[in-house]
Amino acid sequence: MAFTFAAFCYMLSLVLCAALIFFAIWHIIAFDELRTDFKSPIDQCNPVHALVLPEYSIHSLFCIMFLCAQEWLTLGLNVPLLFYHFWRYFHCPADSSELAYDPPAVMNADTLSYCQKEAWCKLAFYLLSFFYYLYCMIYTLVSS
Amino acid sequence: MSAPAESPHPAASARIPPKLGGAAASGAAAPAGPGPAPHQQNGPAQNQMHVPSGYGLHPQNYIAPSGHYPQGPGKMTSLPLDSQCGDYYSGLYIVPTQNVVTPNTANQQPGAQQMYGRGPPAPHIVGSTPGPFQGAASSASHLHTSASQPYSPFVNHYSSPAMYSANSSVASQGFPSTCGHYAMSTVSNAAYPSVSYPSLPAGDPYGQQMFTSQNAPTVRPVRDNSFSGHSTAISHSSPLPPPPSHQYHQQQSLSGCSTLSWSASGLPSTQDNLLRNHGGSLATANSNPTNTVADSLSCPVMQNVQPLKSSPVVSSVLSGASSTRTPPAANRPVEPVASVTQPSELLQQKGVDSSSTTSSASPVPNSYDALEGGSYPDMLSSSASSPAPDPAPEPDPAPASAPTAPQPSKMAKPFGYGYPTLQPGYQNATAPLNSGVPPSSPVYSGFQQYAQYPGMNQLSSSLGGLSLQSSPQPESLRPVNLTQERNILPMTPVWAPVPNLNLDLKKLNCSPDSFRCTLTNIPQTQALLNKAKLPLGLLLHPFRDLTQLPVITSNTIVRCRSCRTYINPFVSFIDQRRWKCNLCYRVNDVPEEFMYNPLTRSYGEPHKRPEVQNSTVEFIASSDYMLRPPQPAVYLFVLDVSHNAVEAGYLTILCQSLLENLDKLPGDSRTRIGFMTFDSTIHFYNLQEGLSQPQMLIVSDIDDVFLPTPDSLLVNLYESKELIKDLLNALPNMFTNTRETHSALGPALQAAFKLMSPTGGRVSVFQTQLPSLGAGLLQSREDPNQRSSTKVVQHLGPATDFYKKLALDCSGQQTAVDLFLLSSQYSDLASLACMSKYSAGCIYYYPSFHYTHNPSQAEKLQKDLKRYLTRKIGFEAVMRIRCTKGLSMHTFHGNFFVRSTDLLSLANINPDAGFAVQLSIEENLTDTSLVCFQTALLYTSSKGERRIRVHTLCLPVVSSLADVYAGVDVQAAICLLANMAVDRSISSSLSDARDALVNAVVDSLSAYGSTVSNLQHSALIAPSSLKLFPLYVLALLKQKAFRTGTSTRLDDRVYAMCQIKCQPLVHLMKMIHPNLYRIDRLTDEGAIHVNDRVVPQPPLQKLSAEKLTREGAFLMDCGSVFYIWIGKSCDNNFIEDVLGYPNFASVPQKMTHLPELDTLSSERARSFITWLRDNRPLSPVLHVVKDESPAKTEFFQHLIEDRTEAAFSYYEFLLHIQQQICK
């Protein structure tokens, strides 16, 4: 039993993953509030925007850490989402500062349901990866 | 934001399963009618009391309301007895517009809205004619001045015994209600053709009830004045087929009506009666005579067509008859017998027939659901699915109909294009209606089919006489072979199809000018919609100028408790105390106040309240509907005064227009106004009352803009009027020597936002170049070499989100930004437009504007400004669109900010704003036969009143694909597609959008070909309802917004896209597909009379150079511009009489006016052009284009059926589509 870098990575990502789960839940609630009329998109999108960049950077940090720790499998699992985030970040037409959620467009039912689906999928992904990191952390701690 | 009442609805928990309603309703439709009968008969019975007592009673009735009137709305004072209706009456006083003939005359705008509504504060004297209603009074004098009547508006339109007597000769005493009513319309048409009777005061629905009998709900005055012209046309027996959308109108105006023919609306009407006539006997009696006559008339023709059994023939006639939605094209080769019919009169006859039967036979249940919910589904299912005999209990009115009734279900199936699931009414109505009909088009179609597909004959005979033709097939489903039909464009303008509802609902339904759906038959499931490959959506024009609008002041605005739907004509009353919401099916209580109908002064008739009698109403909202006190009207003008702007010289025109219209700016005593100018610095103007002259304050720190003084930049219009006038007089000359070429638009807008944010209001921005300083500066992105590129068109989206963010901020503070772009160079409209797009503003663009070099643009600016400054305006508005459970809205188009899934936030609303909504079907609509859509626009009027304008549209649900195709509103579909294509070209690319447009045609036609028609796959077959679809799509592809290959400046393209997004349907259609008329040989044949002028009605020409002859002169109406093209060898008489020049050579190149010459042809031409102009808010500029002049390319680019170097001709386009389909 040794405290390797990999184990450290998993421990850190475990903590951060909890934060990501929180972000995802936050998104879900935010879009749900939009859907049910409780808030104006302008009020809602600004805080959501505030969370987008941290989320993306945390996730990128994971990938870098796993790359350094040479955890190829974990990295492989995360790479698709990383690319998706990159695409999302750079593919926003014209207004980069608005990021993914554009107040005038977000209420479009298609966009809204897309955003909601995206948030749910991310929640699922983060939850699964949370347990996966937990398992991996213990595994690395025990095996080495 | 300002819509607490519009806000979150509790989940619809207490829903009554629709089936329950259906069951109850079917009881109602049963012939015995035991179920709902008690209470329904109740109301009518009471009414009948009035009627027999004769016309003598009326004065009493009139007096009654006028007695209450002086209380004025909202003043619930005094007279305990009247308290209930006192607050109510303001609804009646939609008066001042009475004299208005053409609804859209710009001058009259401000008055129109603001003058009615409230009664004047003081007059408590019974019988005095209060000031604001003088208009009404004067119009009353057109007829008889009846001094005895205290309140003249009423007098005016219930006018007069004369009508009744005149009319009573026509109609027998048996159904007084109808005749009374018809009389009215006839007389009004005749007496003053110009003031046609829709302009009656809003009160009339109520008034009507006083002397109408049972069928009060059916008998209603026309609600829409804009058609007055047409209605009169009809009464003058023009050869024009009447606009089908106005059938209710025509039906009401009874005229000679001895002609025998078929009529579309006649069908449903009778059908309704049949359904409704529990007694039945009378109906039979009434319809039989016509029937027999009819048969004898029609037989010769029909037998030629088909030597089969007579009953099938009957139904084939019906098929045509039921189709009258589209006016029969006059150019059909076979024009049987007397078939240049004047459907109008025929319709009227039907109308009379039907309503008379109704009135005499049985009470009309007001709750349509009692009719619809019950009988409809039964019928539908029986005809659609099972061959089992129809158990529906409605009486067979005529013996002839007996054989036909069961047929459709049997024979429609084998051949694709029957109309199997016809509404029951069609089937029933068959016999009585095919009456007397030498139907033009239907017969022809019969011929055609017969000739084309001889095989059918054998088939049909093998079916034992049940021929193909015998299946009732509406005109809108008549297959049209597009490649062979040479003249696809009808001679008269295309009208909106009328939803296939029963007559009651048809009359109640919202005017297609305000509210249209792309499919007038809503498919039952999303799967069905997908199969049809047609777009489903709504086209709205919610704040249209109306000349007749019931305004209701009442303490409680009755709304559904779960979905907050406003009560509307399509709700059903379960009993006197409860009503069922037609959107969520919740059962609600009727509040006590609603039970009392102040006009009839009767209690217990909630279904006769104006809210339930009109699908377009306006409520005066209480303070529940405000988040803050209603804002005053605030106008801020932000003017570019850089060198470029001064060169262009727009300031003179603007200041002049403002000076002229300063008193006409909509507003009340609180109205405020302010001015800012900017170049590289920002100039504010202190106009504080008391100053000797306007004070100019310059802020040069454009990076951090601040307001130099906290107040006195926006000043009260009336207190500082002199200063304002001084400023406006001085402004044009103040900057004449400026050398400043920069433009700090962004900072100026920020300053404007700061200035406006405490109140909200309207900011009008005048910009003449690319903003080059401070925040929001833009670079030129256009590459002139790419203008005619066929590949990629870039930069359709904004370059920066500065303007969008600013607009969102403005929208949050209830401020709208209107942009006037007067630019000779590229100004990146794509970016600038965002400031208006998201703040619900409007955009005007004047390319290469110069006040002397380009006089036509200057004239256009002048006219636009006049309209812009004086038109109605609503502040701090929100619009919510609701639809029946199961449907959902997913994308909105227009200028607004979407606040929530069904709520649009509109800082300002103006009468020229149109919206579009895409719909999807989320749940199957199997358990309902009708769907409803309701828009509620909550706004603050310029007088500081909170008002809610509610439109409700009701449409039938169908389960077969054929019905879906039968109900396509091709114009609405095109407009929706255009909106979608704009989105697509911005988010994706222009070529994607173009492909999508072509695919829309290919998909829908191939879907039709493979599922419905089943005929020849080699030919390009479209249902008649879609026959213009390819033409319109081709027109769209050649529109500035979407064309490729032709040199188009980026700004022009973007402006066209902006217009597509925010124009209402009527204007958009003209923009997409202009109307072409030949005007050198105008005659009075078929002319209509408007305002004592004779307006000739030349036929529409197709947009092709083949129609242009050198000998002629043609007028092209493109919506915002008119072209008159003069052929080279045009008749010198015309040139001399109309243009005022001796010959073709002497006509100048730039001519924008027709001289007022005292010749007949000049008069005709001018009255025609004026009439066209009056029909729209933006008065178009006229260009006289000589053949051979360089300007003719402008004209020729609109000839969309012709081939251009970069685009298909119409025929080629059809071949292209055919190729795509066959792939």
Side-chain angles (χ1 to χ4, degrees):
Chain A
M1 177 154 171
F3 187 75
T4 59
F5 178 66
F8 168 76
C9 284
Y10 281 119
M11 285 169 78
L12 189 64
S13 53
L14 209 55
V15 177
L16 290 177
C17 201
L20 289 182
I21 290 171
F22 163 76
F23 286 175
I25 293 175
W26 212 92
H27 271 106
I28 290 171
I29 295 174
F31 290 123
D32 201 57
E33 275 180 336
L34 275 184
R35 175 150 284 190
T36 48
D37 270 18
F38 285 122
K39 281 197 172 171
S40 155
I42 301 180
D43 305 340
Q44 194 67 286
C45 281
N46 293 337
V48 171
H49 286 317
L51 289 186
V52 169
L53 213 50
E55 182 193 330
Y56 289 5
S57 42
I58 288 175
H59 191 259
S60 321
L61 180 71
F62 280 11
C63 296
I64 295 167
M65 285 195 311
F66 293 130
L67 182 69
C68 297
Q70 302 185 331
E71 291 290 324
W72 305 118
L73 178 65
T74 319
L75 183 66
L77 290 176
N78 273 299
V79 160
L81 185 62
L82 182 72
F83 279 115
Y84 175 74
H85 280 163
F86 272 113
W87 176 81
R88 200 69 216 255
Y89 188 84
F90 292 108
H91 202 72
C92 295
D95 6 21
S96 52
S97 63
E98 294 283 346
L99 278 182
Y101 310 108
D102 179 19
V106 79
M107 284 316 299
N108 181 317
D110 294 339
T111 319
L112 194 59
S113 59
Y114 175 79
C115 290
Q116 259 183 324
K117 261 182 225 152
E118 183 195 26
W120 277 108
C121 291
K122 275 190 186 171
L123 178 65
F125 180 81
Y126 291 143
L127 267 178
L128 288 178
S129 49
F130 180 84
F131 291 110
Y132 173 76
Y133 297 153
L134 188 66
Y135 166 81
C136 286
M137 183 187 75
I138 295 168
Y139 182 81
T140 44
L141 282 176
V142 169
S143 65
S144 58
Chain B
M1 281 295 310
S2 43
E6 290 276 351
S7 58
H9 359 285
S13 53
R15 255 171 217 148
I16 285 224
K19 273 176 198 160
L20 195 145
S26 69
H39 98 267
Q40 275 154 356
Q41 277 166 353
N42 216 354
Q46 284 177 358
N47 261 348
Q48 263 174 336
M49 306 268 293
H50 295 293
V51 179
S53 54
Y55 307 116
L57 257 186
H58 290 142
Q60 289 176 9
N61 284 336
Y62 298 134
I63 289 170
S66 64
H68 301 302
Y69 160 68
Q71 283 187 358
K75 299 193 179 178
M76 295 278 302
T77 53
S78 65
L79 307 183
L81 193 147
D82 303 323
S83 62
Q84 246 180 327
C85 47
D87 58 322
Y88 183 80
Y89 263 102
S90 65
L92 304 181
Y93 304 131
I94 311 262
V95 173
T97 44
Q98 270 220 332
N99 276 336
V100 180
V101 176
T102 44
N104 287 336
T105 330
N107 294 342
Q108 285 152 341
Q109 296 322 327
Q113 173 67 357
Q114 285 121 23
M115 284 172 67
Y116 59 69
R118 301 270 158 154
H124 277 270
I125 314 119
V126 175
S128 71
T129 310
F133 305 113
Q134 278 168 355
S138 67
S139 73
S141 66
H142 281 260
L143 277 179
H144 345 250
T145 44
S146 47
S148 65
Q149 310 278 355
Y151 182 45
S152 40
F154 284 106
V155 179
N156 171 28
H157 92 102
Y158 296 133
S159 44
S160 59
M163 294 177 180
Y164 296 102
S165 58
N167 190 46
S168 57
S169 62
V170 178
S172 80
Q173 284 290 341
F175 23 91
S177 67
T178 18
C179 54
H181 177 70
Y182 288 119
M184 241 175 57
S185 45
T186 337
V187 173
S188 65
N189 274 341
Y192 24 45
S194 54
V195 186
S196 83
Y197 92 119
S199 63
L200 298 173
D204 43 54
Y206 326 80
Q208 208 96 52
Q209 287 156 18
M210 295 178 197
F211 52 78
T212 52
S213 74
Q214 315 82 316
N215 67 348
T218 60
V219 181
R220 293 182 54 261
V222 178
R223 279 159 288 159
D224 199 329
N225 193 21
S226 57
F227 302 120
S228 57
H230 304 298
S231 73
T232 36
I234 283 140
S235 65
H236 285 263
S237 73
S238 71
L240 295 174
S245 55
H246 311 135
Q247 278 163 356
Y248 55 90
H249 190 160
Q250 293 139 15
Q251 279 152 5
Q252 287 168 354
S253 59
L254 157 105
S255 56
C257 81
S258 52
T259 348
L260 281 171
S261 174
W262 47 274
S263 74
S265 66
L267 277 172
S269 78
T270 340
Q271 133 204 359
D272 295 339
N273 297 326
L274 301 180
L275 283 179
R276 221 181 296 124
N277 273 329
H278 311 282
S281 57
L282 251 171
T284 331
N286 269 336
S287 47
N288 266 342
T290 17
N291 193 16
T292 49
V293 180
D295 279 345
S296 63
L297 257 179
S298 60
C299 275
V301 182
M302 303 311 300
Q303 278 161 0
N304 275 340
V305 182
Q306 235 200 7
L308 291 172
K309 270 170 58 174
S310 67
S311 58
V313 176
V314 165
S315 54
S316 90
V317 173
L318 168 68
S319 76
S322 61
S323 65
T324 358
R325 306 155 171 243
T326 44
N331 53 354
R332 294 226 172 78
V334 183
E335 201 66 62
V337 202
S339 64
V340 191
T341 50
Q342 307 212 347
S344 62
E345 278 156 51
L346 311 168
L347 290 184
Q348 288 151 12
Q349 182 193 11
K350 291 301 175 197
V352 172
D353 261 350
S354 57
S355 2
S356 62
T357 50
T358 312
S359 64
S360 50
S362 71
V364 181
N366 180 265
S367 57
Y368 73 89
D369 216 52
L371 287 173
E372 293 303 322
S375 55
Y376 246 93
D378 280 355
M379 309 290 296
L380 273 178
S381 60
S382 71
S383 61
S385 57
S386 71
D390 192 348
E394 70 278 348
D396 259 339
S401 74
T404 45
Q407 278 173 16
S409 55
K410 281 191 220 157
M411 66 186 133
K413 288 277 163 169
F415 311 99
Y417 64 86
Y419 198 16
T421 47
L422 263 192
Q423 302 305 344
Y426 278 133
Q427 299 161 10
N428 270 335
T430 307
L433 277 184
N434 72 49
S435 35
V437 186
S440 55
S441 56
V443 172
Y444 167 54
S445 77
F447 265 125
Q448 192 187 35
Q449 288 164 14
Y450 208 73
Q452 274 183 347
Y453 321 115
M456 291 301 170
N457 193 12
Q458 299 156 8
L459 266 178
S460 55
S461 51
S462 71
L463 274 173
L466 304 180
S467 79
L468 175 65
Q469 287 93 327
S470 63
S471 66
Q473 183 195 13
E475 163 69 14
S476 52
L477 269 185
R478 182 173 62 89
V480 177
N481 192 338
L482 291 173
T483 42
Q484 284 173 14
E485 191 107 354
R486 205 157 160 68
N487 294 312
I488 201 82
L489 194 72
M491 304 284 272
T492 54
V494 182
W495 300 99
V498 181
N500 185 10
L501 296 164
N502 73 35
L503 191 62
D504 266 359
L505 297 182
K506 232 179 235 175
K507 280 184 190 162
L508 289 172
N509 224 344
C510 195
S511 150
D513 285 349
S514 309
F515 213 148
R516 264 166 99 160
C517 184
T518 54
L519 303 178
T520 54
N521 292 332
I522 302 286
Q524 213 167 43
T525 61
Q526 180 72 36
L528 189 59
L529 177 62
N530 292 343
K531 247 190 248 167
K533 306 263 187 201
L534 290 164
L536 176 59
L538 301 173
L539 278 294
L540 302 170
H541 191 182
F543 203 54
R544 197 164 65 92
D545 288 318
L546 295 167
T547 43
Q548 197 260 356
L549 170 70
V551 180
I552 295 160
T553 312
S554 131
N555 283 346
T556 49
I557 295 174
V558 183
R559 301 174 67 179
C560 173
R561 286 185 59 186
S562 108
C563 67
R564 308 300 292 154
T565 299
Y566 296 82
I567 197 165
N568 59 66
F570 310 106
V571 303
S572 47
F573 284 92
I574 291 173
D575 54 39
Q576 286 213 4
R577 288 318 210 132
R578 288 179 302 159
W579 61 277
K580 195 168 89 176
C581 174
N582 52 341
L583 268 64
C584 69
Y585 307 117
R586 187 189 202 275
V587 176
N588 295 277
D589 291 336
V590 175
E592 186 62 28
E593 192 191 346
F594 203 73
M595 296 297 291
Y596 182 73
N597 191 343
L599 247 178
T600 53
R601 308 193 76 188
S602 55
Y603 186 83
E605 288 178 354
H607 54 277
K608 299 224 171 130
R609 296 262 305 195
E611 296 94 321
V612 192
Q613 292 292 322
N614 294 283
S615 61
T616 297
V617 292
E618 190 154 288
F619 296 97
I620 309 272
S622 62
S623 54
D624 299 344
Y625 292 82
M626 305 170 192
L627 281 187
R628 57 173 187 178
Q631 67 162 85
V634 181
Y635 305 109
L636 176 66
F637 293 87
V638 180
L639 312 173
D640 183 359
V641 292
S642 60
H643 178 75
N644 202 8
V646 175
E647 256 317 285
Y650 80 90
L651 273 176
T652 327
I653 297 172
L654 171 69
C655 292
Q656 198 55 43
S657 298
L658 258 175
L659 278 172
E660 281 166 17
N661 296 305
L662 210 51
D663 296 324
K664 295 183 205 150
L665 281 179
D668 53 10
S669 60
R670 302 179 300 161
T671 307
R672 291 160 74 186
I673 194 169
F675 295 90
M676 279 170 56
T677 53
F678 65 94
D679 39 32
S680 62
T681 55
I682 302 170
H683 323 133
F684 296 88
Y685 296 87
N686 185 345
L687 300 166
Q688 188 60 44
E689 190 191 7
L691 289 174
S692 59
Q693 60 176 33
Q695 203 176 31
M696 182 165 159
L697 306 161
I698 300 179
V699 173
S700 54
D701 182 5
I702 55 167
D703 296 326
D704 182 20
V705 189
F706 59 92
L707 298 181
T709 59
D711 47 10
S712 73
L713 295 178
L714 280 174
V715 293
N716 187 297
L717 176 61
Y718 299 99
E719 288 166 5
S720 307
K721 190 169 259 176
E722 286 313 308
L723 281 176
I724 293 167
K725 285 184 174 166
D726 286 350
L727 176 65
L728 288 176
N729 283 320
L731 256 185
N733 302 320
M734 266 161 85
F735 300 93
T736 36
N737 297 319
T738 185
R739 297 198 170 174
E740 191 54 72
T741 53
H742 283 294
S743 155
L745 176 66
L749 284 173
Q750 286 171 331
F753 169 65
K754 281 187 181 162
L755 198 52
M756 296 297 279
S757 52
T759 50
R762 182 175 78 187
V763 178
S764 315
V765 178
F766 289 77
Q767 172 73 8
T768 59
Q769 57 173 317
L770 267 182
S772 54
L773 274 184
L777 72 98
L778 297 168
Q779 258 91 41
S780 177
R781 297 189 289 167
E782 188 189 32
D783 177 4
N785 300 325
Q786 295 289 313
R787 276 182 190 161
S788 55
S789 141
T790 46
K791 291 172 218 147
V792 197
V793 178
Q794 284 175 317
H795 308 309
L796 292 171
T800 164
D801 59 351
F802 170 82
Y803 295 99
K804 182 200 264 182
K805 280 185 166 162
L806 187 103
L808 292 181
D809 290 343
C810 285
S811 173
Q813 300 298 329
Q814 307 297 347
T815 306
V817 185
D818 295 344
L819 173 67
F820 287 78
L821 186 62
L822 314 116
S823 165
S824 45
Q825 279 148 18
Y826 175 72
S827 320
D828 203 349
L829 186 61
S831 304
L832 293 180
C834 287
M835 71 169 102
S836 302
K837 252 185 212 167
Y838 300 105
S839 67
C842 49
I843 301 160
Y844 294 86
Y845 177 51
Y846 304 89
S848 50
F849 177 88
H850 195 281
Y851 73 116
T852 50
H853 300 168
N854 197 345
S856 65
Q857 289 285 12
E859 187 194 342
K860 186 162 158 44
L861 173 68
Q862 204 172 3
K863 285 178 170 168
D864 286 354
L865 273 176
K866 188 177 175 197
R867 162 76 182 166
Y868 174 76
L869 293 172
T870 55
R871 71 182 176 194
K872 237 173 68 171
I873 184 168
F875 296 99
E876 41 185 5
V878 286
M879 180 163 80
R880 195 183 283 277
I881 304 163
R882 297 182 172 86
C883 46
T884 299
K885 193 165 67 80
L887 292 169
S888 76
M889 287 154 288
H890 65 92
T891 308
F892 297 90
H893 303 277
N895 289 353
F896 49 71
F897 172 60
V898 192
R899 264 269 308 283
S900 137
T901 43
D902 57 352
L903 183 71
L904 307 181
S905 160
L906 305 160
N908 283 3
I909 177 77
N910 68 66
D912 305 330
F915 302 90
V917 188
Q918 282 171 254
L919 296 169
S920 57
I921 302 169
E922 293 212 322
E923 299 166 35
N924 288 353
L925 301 166
T926 38
D927 48 5
T928 177
S929 60
L930 293 170
V931 290
C932 291
F933 305 94
Q934 187 173 70
T935 35
L937 177 71
L938 172 65
Y939 68 97
T940 302
S941 77
S942 49
K943 299 281 186 219
E945 271 178 333
R946 207 71 178 138
R947 285 165 169 253
I948 311 164
R949 186 174 292 187
V950 180
H951 301 276
T952 316
L953 178 74
C954 178
L955 296 173
V957 175
V958 295
S959 57
S960 86
L961 202 52
D963 293 359
V964 175
Y965 282 112
V968 183
D969 181 344
V970 68
Q971 292 193 323
I974 278 294
C975 291
L976 187 67
L977 277 177
N979 275 302
M980 292 158 69
V982 170
D983 275 3
R984 176 70 74 91
S985 45
I986 291 173
S987 67
S988 176
S989 74
L990 193 66
S991 52
D992 266 18
R994 287 171 58 89
D995 290 347
L997 283 174
V998 177
N999 287 339
V1001 185
V1002 172
D1003 289 348
S1004 59
L1005 291 189
S1006 66
Y1008 173 78
S1010 61
T1011 56
V1012 180
S1013 83
N1014 273 345
L1015 288 172
Q1016 300 172 338
H1017 284 285
S1018 54
L1020 189 59
I1021 304 283
S1024 178
S1025 58
L1026 272 179
K1027 66 179 181 182
L1028 293 174
F1029 197 39
L1031 178 63
Y1032 285 154
V1033 166
L1034 180 68
L1036 260 186
L1037 293 176
K1038 294 187 175 182
Q1039 230 283 323
K1040 265 186 189 158
F1042 302 112
R1043 71 185 180 193
T1044 54
T1046 313
S1047 175
T1048 312
R1049 299 188 332 151
L1050 190 53
D1051 276 350
D1052 287 349
R1053 191 187 291 279
V1054 172
Y1055 180 60
M1057 289 185 172
C1058 293
Q1059 286 204 301
I1060 287 174
K1061 290 285 260 184
C1062 66
Q1063 293 257 19
L1065 185 138
V1066 260
H1067 306 149
L1068 189 53
M1069 269 328 290
K1070 290 231 176 63
M1071 203 178 115
I1072 294 171
H1073 189 272
N1075 291 341
L1076 183 68
Y1077 307 93
R1078 177 161 191 176
I1079 56 161
D1080 61 330
R1081 288 183 300 194
L1082 291 177
T1083 59
D1084 278 346
E1085 190 188 333
I1088 60 171
H1089 294 253
V1090 178
N1091 209 1
D1092 297 335
R1093 271 197 334 250
V1094 180
V1095 179
Q1097 299 286 298
L1100 278 181
Q1101 310 278 340
K1102 73 175 185 175
L1103 291 171
S1104 164
E1106 85 178 52
K1107 290 287 173 189
L1108 301 178
T1109 61
R1110 289 180 161 202
E1111 290 78 33
F1114 291 83
L1115 172 74
M1116 185 186 280
D1117 170 10
C1118 307
S1120 59
V1121 61
F1122 287 155
Y1123 295 103
I1124 291 183
W1125 181 86
I1126 312 280
K1128 211 173 175 183
S1129 43
C1130 181
D1131 188 9
N1132 271 347
N1133 288 336
F1134 175 81
I1135 295 180
E1136 201 173 335
D1137 289 350
V1138 178
L1139 303 175
Y1141 292 93
N1143 53 43
F1144 179 77
S1146 57
V1147 177
Q1149 292 285 357
K1150 282 185 180 174
M1151 186 174 170
T1152 55
H1153 285 283
L1154 288 188
E1156 296 210 5
L1157 301 176
D1158 197 20
T1159 57
L1160 185 63
S1161 47
S1162 165
E1163 210 164 276
R1164 278 179 184 154
R1166 278 184 292 116
S1167 80
F1168 180 57
I1169 291 171
T1170 324
W1171 176 74
L1172 287 176
R1173 265 191 187 148
D1174 285 347
N1175 282 334
R1176 73 202 69 200
L1178 304 175
S1179 40
V1181 177
L1182 182 79
H1183 292 276
V1184 177
V1185 178
K1186 279 167 73 177
D1187 195 14
E1188 292 185 331
S1189 86
K1192 80 173 184 181
T1193 48
E1194 280 282 301
F1195 176 80
F1196 277 93
Q1197 73 181 6
H1198 290 292
L1199 297 176
I1200 52 114
E1201 292 197 26
D1202 291 338
R1203 192 169 193 283
T1204 65
E1205 62 271 31
F1208 288 134
S1209 74
Y1210 178 58
Y1211 189 72
E1212 287 168 330
F1213 184 63
L1214 288 178
L1215 293 182
H1216 175 70
I1217 290 173
Q1218 197 173 350
Q1219 216 172 10
Q1220 296 281 313
I1221 291 178
C1222 293
K1223 244 190 225 170

